[in-house]
Amino acid sequence: MPGFISSPVPTDGFAVRSTEPVPESGGSLRLTLLMSGSCLPVLGAVLLAPVLPKLQELFSTVPDADVLVPLILTIPALTLALVAPLAGVLIDRLGRRIPLVVATVLYALFGTAPLWLDSLGAIVASRALLGVAEAFVMTSCTTLIGDYYAGRARDRYLALQTVCATISATACFILGGAMATSDWRAPFQLYAVGLLLAPAMAAFLSKPGPGAPVDEALTVGRRSSSAGRLAGICLLSVFGGIVFYVVPAETAYLMNGLGIQSSALIGMVTAIASTATVSGSVIFASMIGRPERRLAAIFALCAAGFVLISLAHNVAILIFGTFLNCIGTGFLLPTLLTWAMSKLEYRNRGRGTGLWIASFFLGQFLCPPALLALKSATGHLTTAVGALGLASALVAAGLLPLLRKTSPQETLQA
């Protein structure tokens, strides 16, 4: 990944100053807009989940409907993962605000398109275009958080981004199900929120100005290896995306395996898991020190949750396993993101953020097929989850010696 840390630096090994943007006034409204924008891709991920059975029935006579209907839910995440690196390159060249505003308007247009589309193929195509808009929205919002804030403030707000996304996911799942009771098209109306956010973003997201110091962690020694480390973080984030998405994607099937068919009970367990993810992110925001040093413990916590899930013979153990795992994933997402952001300067932050987002969303997209492959190999979903727990434990063990290798400057700053 050449060119990621390219600004001139002295050779004495000390931290330097650069043209990192300074935070400006009006932070509360700005932060609200950034968090709201960060929640927009959540609608693509969960809002339509309750509608899929109706769509499957509606388009049952369409060839390959059994493949195309699930794509309505999953293809935005795949498109987002594919386009996010390009989005990052463009926002580094064009600036953050204009691509964000344009993409938010397009998000509303593509998101509401199924309100008047009748063809299943056209609906799937509109959902793919929605993922393109989401890639620019997510990359721009996350990059702007990195532009406006530094150090512990940045860590807190990136954790808050996870909290907001998780809470909005739970709310959208409930709201989408309620709206779909009257008409399968109704949930698509919510995508129009982009038309409300876009003017506010244009008016109140000011261009960051130069002059603030770089993060203290950006020493010369770390600059020389940051590109390689970012590549490693992105690779680890693909696996992290798989780990993160297991409980949201598979809880219903796991409970069905225990003989539980009640939608209300499944919804309650999913809500408990979401609460655990929020709790992990909130705790993360209150902690100090270099967050990546905790990654081994985080993956070990996720592994323990997976093992409990795989051994669960009643719903109580399953709930405890999902709660333990989601506490870990609540730590995992902001840890990986803050670690990636710490390697980036203003001039390359869009590219780096786009690559990280692509990696994490690619992991989420790969989660169901990965579990399906493990299920095929092991014979049962719970055994597949246990195998993923073993893989998480191995990753945790592999991270221990890696994260102990720190430079004297990193030790002083930790």
Side-chain angles (χ1 to χ4, degrees):
M1 247 174 264
F4 260 85
I5 304 296
S6 55
S7 59
V9 293
T11 58
D12 57 8
F14 292 99
V16 295
R17 301 176 74 85
S18 77
T19 57
E20 185 93 5
V22 254
E24 299 175 4
S25 59
S28 296
L29 179 57
R30 180 179 62 203
L31 185 62
T32 300
L33 289 171
L34 292 176
M35 293 302 155
S36 299
S38 299
C39 291
L40 293 182
V42 171
L43 273 71
V46 301
L47 180 65
L48 302 180
V51 183
L52 290 186
K54 287 188 175 183
L55 292 175
Q56 197 76 60
E57 181 180 355
L58 179 68
F59 294 107
S60 59
T61 59
V62 177
D64 300 321
D66 55 336
V67 175
L68 293 176
V69 169
L71 280 178
I72 292 175
L73 185 65
T74 60
I75 200 169
L78 176 60
T79 314
L80 191 157
L82 294 175
V83 176
L86 173 62
V89 171
L90 290 178
I91 66 173
D92 275 341
R93 293 181 178 179
L94 303 177
R96 323 319 195 188
R97 184 175 56 171
I98 293 177
L100 174 59
V101 173
V102 172
T104 304
V105 173
L106 294 177
Y107 171 92
L109 296 179
F110 295 139
T112 57
L115 290 173
W116 57 83
L117 294 175
D118 295 318
S119 163
L120 178 57
I123 291 174
V124 172
S126 73
R127 300 290 291 171
L129 292 172
L130 175 69
V132 174
E134 289 178 345
F136 280 87
V137 171
M138 190 70 182
T139 304
S140 298
C141 286
T142 305
T143 302
L144 280 169
I145 293 173
D147 290 345
Y148 288 134
Y149 310 102
R152 287 196 62 197
R154 178 189 295 165
D155 292 354
R156 284 197 303 270
Y157 293 139
L158 290 174
L160 180 61
Q161 188 182 38
T162 305
V163 171
C164 292
T166 305
I167 292 175
S168 63
T170 304
C172 287
F173 190 89
I174 297 171
L175 188 57
M179 294 181 70
T181 56
S182 58
D183 182 4
W184 67 268
R185 296 182 190 269
F188 292 99
Q189 298 173 15
L190 292 178
Y191 289 98
V193 69
L195 297 178
L196 299 178
L197 288 176
M201 289 173 170
F204 298 108
L205 290 182
S206 57
K207 180 180 179 181
V214 300
D215 290 340
E216 292 84 351
L218 285 174
T219 60
V220 173
R222 292 183 65 212
R223 287 171 183 267
S224 63
S225 60
S226 287
R229 288 190 181 183
L230 182 64
I233 295 168
C234 288
L235 182 61
L236 186 62
S237 296
V238 174
F239 181 73
I242 295 174
V243 170
F244 185 89
Y245 203 54
V246 169
V247 170
E250 304 297 330
T251 295
Y253 298 104
L254 290 165
M255 294 188 70
N256 289 343
L258 294 176
I260 299 169
Q261 304 294 330
S262 169
S263 298
L265 187 54
I266 292 172
M268 182 194 73
V269 174
T270 304
I272 291 173
S274 296
T275 301
T277 302
V278 170
S279 300
S281 298
V282 170
I283 295 170
F284 170 91
S286 66
M287 300 178 73
I288 61 173
R290 300 195 60 77
E292 65 269 23
R293 303 256 181 97
R294 300 188 286 267
L295 265 176
I298 292 169
F299 274 109
L301 185 61
C302 294
F306 283 144
V307 170
L308 276 177
I309 292 170
S310 68
L311 298 176
H313 57 272
N314 60 54
V315 69
I317 297 176
L318 179 65
I319 289 174
F320 185 66
T322 57
F323 186 85
L324 194 64
N325 175 267
C326 288
I327 285 284
T329 59
F331 280 103
L332 180 62
L333 176 53
T335 298
L336 290 170
L337 180 52
T338 55
W339 193 15
M341 294 291 277
S342 72
K343 307 299 174 191
L344 306 172
E345 293 178 327
Y346 177 71
R347 69 183 64 187
N348 53 53
R349 187 168 289 130
R351 282 175 285 171
T353 303
L355 284 170
W356 183 87
I357 289 173
S359 302
F360 196 82
F361 274 84
L362 178 62
Q364 291 194 32
F365 182 81
L366 292 175
C367 177
L371 280 175
L372 187 62
L374 287 172
K375 180 182 176 181
S376 177
T378 60
H380 201 279
L381 178 59
T382 55
T383 313
V385 173
L388 187 57
L390 176 61
S392 300
L394 291 175
V395 169
L399 287 170
L400 281 174
L402 174 66
L403 296 180
R404 286 172 182 162
K405 296 177 181 178
T406 54
S407 67
Q409 288 94 345
E410 287 176 299
T411 303
L412 289 171
Q413 293 157 359

